[in-house]
Amino acid sequence: MDEFYEVFGDRVRRARAALGVNQQELGNAVGLNRTSISNIEKGRQRIALHMLFEFAAALRVEPESLLPSPDGRSDVLDELPEDARGWAQDVLANAQKEEGRG
């Protein structure tokens, strides 16, 4: 179970960094202090289920993008450098849109 929260925390950290906000700003947005955000990002603090949606809204991501894969596999996008991840996500989203039109 600890690995679940470590992966969740890493995804929160990455989304926060991509958005360009610090831990204090994220904490203010979700109603937690900076220390809690730090502990969550390190996988040391668990969150209530409803907080998943608070984090997703504050980070401007879909809630499922913060959750580890149910089969334990890492997301292939997690292996990309952060500066390339957004581009790859855009390419995949556009491909899914095109697939839906076809």
Side-chain angles (χ1 to χ4, degrees):
M1 188 58 66
D2 289 340
E3 185 178 340
F4 177 93
Y5 286 97
E6 289 171 7
V7 172
F8 173 78
D10 185 58
R11 289 181 178 204
V12 167
R13 182 189 55 76
R14 289 179 185 208
R16 179 182 58 74
L19 191 58
V21 299
N22 62 38
Q23 290 177 336
Q24 183 67 49
E25 292 167 325
L26 177 57
N28 291 342
V30 299
L32 297 172
N33 61 38
R34 189 209 54 80
T35 303
S36 289
I37 299 300
S38 176
N39 286 330
I40 289 166
E41 289 183 357
K42 292 175 183 172
R44 294 190 295 215
Q45 182 172 329
R46 297 178 179 194
I47 65 164
L49 183 58
H50 72 279
M51 291 299 295
L52 170 64
F53 296 97
E54 297 288 332
F55 274 92
L59 295 168
R60 300 182 194 149
V61 298
E62 294 297 320
E64 57 269 13
S65 72
L66 298 174
L67 295 174
S69 174
D71 59 9
R73 294 185 317 198
S74 67
D75 187 337
V76 93
L77 293 176
D78 288 343
E79 306 302 320
L80 294 175
E82 287 191 39
D83 60 341
R85 195 172 303 125
W87 174 83
Q89 288 171 323
D90 289 343
V91 168
L92 291 172
N94 287 333
Q96 289 173 336
K97 288 178 188 174
E98 289 298 320
E99 186 178 272
R101 292 181 191 161

